[in-house]
Amino acid sequence: MSVRVRIPTILRSYTDGESEVGASGATLAEVIDDLEARFPGVKGRILDEQGSIRRFVNVYVGNEDVRFQEALQTPTEDGAQVSVIPAVAGG
Amino acid sequence: MSTSIIDTAAAVSPAPRPGAFGNATHLVCRECRATRPLGPHYACADCFGPLETGYDFPAVTRAEIEAGPKNIWRYQPLLPVPADITESRNMEPGFTRLLRADNLARELGLSRLWVKDDSGNPTHSFKDRVVAIALSAARELGMKVFACPSTGNLANAVAAAGARAGVRTVVLIPENLERPKILTTAVYGGTLVAVRGNYDDVNRLASEIAGEEEGWAFVNVNVRPYYAEGSKTLGFEVAEQLGWRLPRQVVVPVASGSQLTKVDKGFTELVRLGLVEESPYTMFGAQATGCSPVARAFKEGHDAVRPVRPDTIAKSLAIGNPADGPYVLDVARRTGGAVEDVTDDEVRDGIELLARTEGVFAETAGGVTVATLKKLIAGGRLDPDAETVVFNTGDGLKTLDAVADRVGPGSTIDPTYAAFASSVLGRPR
């Protein structure tokens, strides 16, 4: 599955400044692995040492927070947009 | 309706002037302690953790503070704002009243209770405090657009502060916000955008815009490390108004959780600077059951907060994915407190109870704290013999719907004495 991934400012040093990149994978976990293959280091910023999404990172597939879905096993359909967004906002 | 197009070509000036942030010296990650220079940064580049402001405090005396203005700028040395902050055009918030609430105390069986009534701020909520700090940061960083996602009170505060400072504002709100909060934002001009979604959707959109638009200061996103410091002034004021001492127990509403953690930080700094004696205090967080992710995590013993989809009349607290939730858990557990939640009916009861006993008309968030106070007492978790401060952070006039079908005239009569005597005094005709 081919998806688009929105990259937050603090990860753009890994993507040559690109704010959106393409990636492939049938699940969010596969998409992140694909990103890591092309932009080494990015996975370690999104996931913690246990391989879970860091607690101050929000990841969305489409408009849905993956914590309301199947977390890293959330399916990523062809053409989906994945957004990685710092969680420290609001209030 | 504003149809103005925003100038997105605004440039950010390269380096802040010396003293732009007062005694603040750097930003530090609350998670991994990595530091970075002061600037429009809010998330740690290493771990995404929240950045907060670090200081090199000078000696500060009570007399110096007491000689300052009757607003938050009396605490300028403890805030990330320049020494000449009082010369800038701002809303001059703070130094709201601390009311001794003997009637409410009696009703609840407490020995001594105070209400910190922050509805007395310029736009009638505590948000004027945090926005004043954010405005200073935006100005010092050369940012041109002043913006926020908001559940309403912040929208009011940003729109008003921007109007007074002559800065362009962009305010994003969920489309289902209470009508009074929409009107009390729109009246100040600026750009007001209603977003189809809940607050968490609006918040996410703001984070994305902040990442794309240079020169935009989203008060609670990219200048949040400064903004959040404004809530320390609630803690400073309570301590000063009690005669320079810390209260034994505090009940604070929890939305993002920032306020509770910053009141705690304020107390800690006062002790560190020798402005108050160190004494134990207990902090309680208050949420509405319809949006209680932090209370749930507290009760289940978790360190992480699982997001929820909010469904409560307490819209100013309706943040389903609270950024500072984990730190609220830390503070509540460290101080021996708790995070509790109350139903919407209890919130309404809380609003009426505070109004009836103390003449303070709180917004729904105030109803949440008063109802939580009551629940904590009933559950034996709050010591009725220890001095307690409960926070009312907003004005009931903004959330009239909460009580609209519960209060009103007791009778409608003809304009005659006979009718009054019969209907009101209960005398037979």
Side-chain angles (χ1 to χ4, degrees), chain B residues 49 58 74 79 87 95 120 133 139 145 168 182 185 256 262 280 290 310 315 343 366 369 383 401 403:
Chain B
R74 68 204 279 110
L79 298 169
E87 292 165 34
F95 225 74
I133 312 284
R139 185 187 279 127
V145 180
R168 177 167 273 169
I182 296 173
T185 303
S256 76
K262 292 297 180 174
K315 293 200 171 78
T343 67
T369 48
D383 180 358
D401 284 352
V403 292

Side-chain angles (χ1 to χ4, degrees), chain B residues 30-395:
Chain B
R30 292 197 65 159
E31 288 291 291
C32 72
R33 309 310 292 173
T35 60
R36 69 184 295 180
L38 296 166
H41 318 298
Y42 66 108
C44 176
D46 293 336
C47 74
F48 280 86
L51 299 177
E52 71 173 352
T53 314
Y55 299 86
D56 181 11
F57 288 128
V60 181
T61 67
R62 293 177 182 176
E64 285 167 352
I65 292 171
E66 288 165 355
K70 285 270 185 202
N71 56 52
I72 62 170
W73 305 135
R74 68 204 279 110
Y75 307 108
Q76 179 275 330
L78 311 182
L79 298 169
V81 298
D84 61 0
I85 184 67
T86 55
E87 292 165 34
S88 69
R89 292 178 65 81
N90 71 84
M91 301 293 283
E92 300 175 358
F95 225 74
T96 55
R97 60 187 183 164
L98 181 70
L99 280 174
R100 188 160 159 176
D102 288 346
N103 297 332
L104 180 57
R106 196 176 309 118
E107 188 128 349
L108 295 177
L110 290 171
S111 59
R112 183 166 298 185
L113 177 65
W114 303 85
V115 176
K116 180 59 175 170
D117 184 16
D118 235 24
S119 66
N121 274 308
T123 68
H124 310 282
S125 87
F126 87 101
K127 290 294 189 184
D128 291 313
R129 298 174 184 273
V130 284
V131 165
I133 312 284
L135 179 62
S136 175
R139 185 187 279 127
E140 298 296 340
L141 291 167
M143 302 174 98
K144 305 299 184 195
V145 180
F146 199 50
C148 69
S150 175
T151 56
N153 283 324
L154 181 59
N156 290 180
V158 164
R164 177 153 173 74
V167 177
R168 177 167 273 169
T169 59
V170 176
V171 171
L172 309 175
I173 53 170
E175 67 171 343
N176 73 345
L177 203 58
E178 300 101 328
R179 186 167 162 77
K181 284 181 176 163
I182 296 173
L183 301 182
T184 51
T185 303
V187 72
Y188 297 111
T191 302
L192 176 62
V193 183
V195 178
R196 287 184 209 98
N198 63 24
Y199 175 76
D200 296 295
D201 297 321
V202 178
N203 203 16
R204 172 194 165 186
L205 173 61
S207 294
E208 290 196 75
I209 298 170
E212 299 302 322
E213 302 299 330
E214 284 280 303
W216 284 47
F218 273 90
V219 301
N220 50 355
V221 183
N222 54 344
V223 290
R224 196 172 191 267
Y226 313 98
Y227 161 92
E229 291 288 289
S231 286
K232 291 194 307 189
T233 61
L234 274 163
F236 295 157
E237 288 178 18
V238 165
E240 183 179 348
Q241 289 168 317
L242 287 174
W244 292 108
R245 61 184 175 79
L246 302 182
R248 184 64 187 81
Q249 302 178 120
V250 186
V251 186
V252 183
V254 172
S256 76
S258 175
Q259 181 183 128
L260 185 145
T261 64
K262 292 297 180 174
V263 170
D264 173 59
K265 189 180 183 201
F267 287 166
T268 306
E269 288 177 354
L270 291 179
V271 171
R272 183 144 60 97
L273 289 162
L275 290 164
V276 299
E277 264 185 44
E278 184 162 15
S279 60
Y281 58 87
T282 305
M283 299 203 64
F284 296 93
Q287 295 207 294
T289 304
C291 182
S292 51
V294 187
R296 184 185 300 173
F298 182 86
K299 291 172 189 178
E300 294 175 353
H302 294 155
D303 294 330
V305 175
R306 185 174 168 77
V308 301
R309 295 186 197 284
D311 179 18
T312 170
I313 60 165
K315 293 200 171 78
S316 63
L317 302 183
I319 299 181
N321 192 358
D324 291 291
Y327 302 119
V328 170
L329 297 172
D330 292 346
V331 173
R333 288 174 180 145
R334 191 196 82 224
T335 63
V339 187
E340 187 51 273
D341 58 276
V342 288
T343 67
D344 283 358
D345 276 342
E346 289 174 305
V347 174
R348 294 184 183 96
D349 291 343
I351 293 171
E352 287 187 51
L353 177 61
L354 181 61
R356 176 168 58 75
T357 55
E358 298 297 342
V360 175
F361 185 17
E363 72 146 281
T364 44
V368 169
T369 48
V370 170
T372 298
L373 169 67
K374 188 174 177 180
K375 190 169 178 178
L376 289 167
I377 297 165
R381 282 169 296 165
L382 187 136
D383 180 358
D385 297 321
E387 182 173 54
T388 303
V389 177
V390 61
F391 283 32
N392 172 43
T393 52
D395 193 323

Side-chain angles (χ1 to χ4, degrees), chain A residues 70-88:
Chain A
E70 296 165 57
L72 286 167
Q73 298 314 311
T74 302
T76 48
E77 291 182 5
D78 203 36
Q81 177 165 296
V82 175
S83 303
V84 179
I85 298 176
V88 187

